Amino acid sequence: MSDLIEVRGLRKSFGEHEVLAGVDFAAEAGTVSVLLGPSGSGKTTVLRSMNVLETPDAGLVRIGDASLDFGSPPADKAAYRRAVKALRARSGMVFQSHHLFPHKTVLGNLLEGPVQVQGRDPEEATAAARELLAQVGLAGREDSYPSQLSGGQQQRVGIARALALRPEVLLLDEPTSALDPELIGEVLAVIRDLAAERWTLVIVTHEVRFARDVADQVLFLDGGVVAERGGAEVLTEPREERTRRFLSRVLDAG
Ligand SMILES: Nc1ncnc2c1ncn2[C@@H]1O[C@H](COP(=O)(O)OP(=O)(O)O)[C@@H](O)[C@H]1O
Ligand SMILES: [Mg+2]
């Protein structure tokens, strides 16, 4: 099978600080890639670059048939903007905290993107949104406001909202790290379901046990590069000393 995601030679500096020094990975459709690494190692920057919320200095990002070579982007501004838009449409982002619109209902939050931005038929988008809410275990909460939901429920709405845009890939940036411990499980369960349904996921998480269960591929980011990669065995039998040290710190903390 050919890869759905291709990230090659991704570089990004903030001022003098080189955060990504050539990040490479690829992922097949229907697989789960887990990205981990110390705080500040550039995990968020990788996801944001894939969604073009951040503009890398160099490197290629391809998702499906949309790709952008940031080292030699289209010279024509309109062509560049089209390429950004096409690439951005291929992925949905789930952030650490959900960024829901507080003044909109759950259903309103799910319809904003599909109807206002994508111009889809409101009836069709509503039916699709209801199905997504059922999928994340929130059938019947369509008319609630975010403030009436628990943090776990809000984060599940955040996942449904990202899926409502029909991305090919879902990018999740520490989706449970802002939650109270007792709410983490319900969000991880939803992500497990998505993995079982063969959604293509790239997840930054420090939930090592969860990662071991769902990961087809593990990427350990350190020093601006993928310092170790492999299957889920990277989490249990890391080859690199720095991976081992990181994992023992994370496991101690948990
Ligand atoms: N917009 C920004 N401006 C300046 N520095 C940034 C910006 N975004 C991230 N950084 C820096 O880049 C490094 C990597 O950040 P990040 O990708 O958030 O790492 P991680 O998600 O692995 O913790 C950090 O040192 C962070 O301070
Ligand atoms: Mg981060």
Side-chain angles (χ1 to χ4, degrees), residues 79-126:
Y80 177 72
R81 275 198 299 270
R82 272 198 304 278
V84 168
K85 200 174 164 202
L87 184 56
R88 201 170 268 161
R90 298 293 186 287
S91 65
M93 281 280 271
V94 176
F95 303 92
Q96 207 170 85
S97 56
H98 52 75
H99 298 295
L100 299 176
F101 300 115
H103 57 286
K104 280 185 187 277
T105 63
V106 165
L107 191 60
N109 268 280
L110 262 68
L111 292 178
E112 170 80 20
V115 176
Q116 308 301 326
V117 181
Q118 293 181 329
R120 272 157 56 190
D121 170 54
E123 253 178 67
E124 173 274 319
T126 303

Side-chain angles (χ1 to χ4, degrees), residues 151-194:
Q153 290 172 326
Q154 290 176 14
Q155 192 59 314
R156 286 186 278 148
V157 174
I159 291 171
R161 188 177 59 168
L163 294 177
L165 293 163
R166 296 185 167 158
E168 293 183 38
V169 172
L170 197 62
L171 310 172
L172 302 108
D173 192 2
E174 302 199 38
T176 60
S177 63
L179 295 176
D180 291 335
E182 73 272 20
L183 301 177
I184 291 175
E186 64 189 60
V187 174
L188 294 183
V190 164
I191 301 170
R192 273 180 214 271
D193 279 352
L194 298 179

Side-chain angles (χ1 to χ4, degrees), residues 22-224:
V23 167
D24 298 284
F25 71 93
E28 291 181 1
T31 63
V32 178
S33 301
V34 167
L35 192 57
L36 45 109
S39 174
S41 60
K43 305 177 295 295
T44 295
T45 304
V46 170
L47 294 192
R48 288 173 56 84
S49 297
M50 293 175 72
N51 195 245
V52 211
L53 289 169
E54 205 69 76
T55 307
D57 302 325
L60 176 114
V61 176
R62 180 181 65 77
I63 301 177
D65 60 5
S67 72
L68 192 47
D69 183 346
F70 292 95
S72 52
D76 176 58
K77 274 204 177 112
Y80 177 72
R81 275 198 299 270
R82 272 198 304 278
V84 168
K85 200 174 164 202
L87 184 56
R88 201 170 268 161
R90 298 293 186 287
S91 65
M93 281 280 271
V94 176
F95 303 92
Q96 207 170 85
S97 56
H98 52 75
H99 298 295
L100 299 176
F101 300 115
H103 57 286
K104 280 185 187 277
T105 63
V106 165
L107 191 60
N109 268 280
L110 262 68
L111 292 178
E112 170 80 20
V115 176
Q116 308 301 326
V117 181
Q118 293 181 329
R120 272 157 56 190
D121 170 54
E123 253 178 67
E124 173 274 319
T126 303
R130 287 184 187 280
E131 255 177 60
L132 284 170
L133 285 172
Q135 180 168 6
V136 300
L138 290 172
R141 300 311 296 265
E142 285 81 358
D143 299 326
S144 301
Y145 285 88
S147 61
Q148 297 171 311
L149 302 177
S150 72
Q153 290 172 326
Q154 290 176 14
Q155 192 59 314
R156 286 186 278 148
V157 174
I159 291 171
R161 188 177 59 168
L163 294 177
L165 293 163
R166 296 185 167 158
E168 293 183 38
V169 172
L170 197 62
L171 310 172
L172 302 108
D173 192 2
E174 302 199 38
T176 60
S177 63
L179 295 176
D180 291 335
E182 73 272 20
L183 301 177
I184 291 175
E186 64 189 60
V187 174
L188 294 183
V190 164
I191 301 170
R192 273 180 214 271
D193 279 352
L194 298 179
E197 283 190 17
R198 311 286 287 163
W199 273 90
T200 308
L201 308 177
V202 181
I203 314 178
V204 175
T205 183
H206 294 162
E207 298 289 334
V208 174
R209 253 191 316 159
F210 162 77
R212 216 152 54 197
D213 293 346
V214 298
D216 294 293
Q217 156 171 252
V218 174
L219 304 156
F220 176 69
L221 205 62
D222 194 31

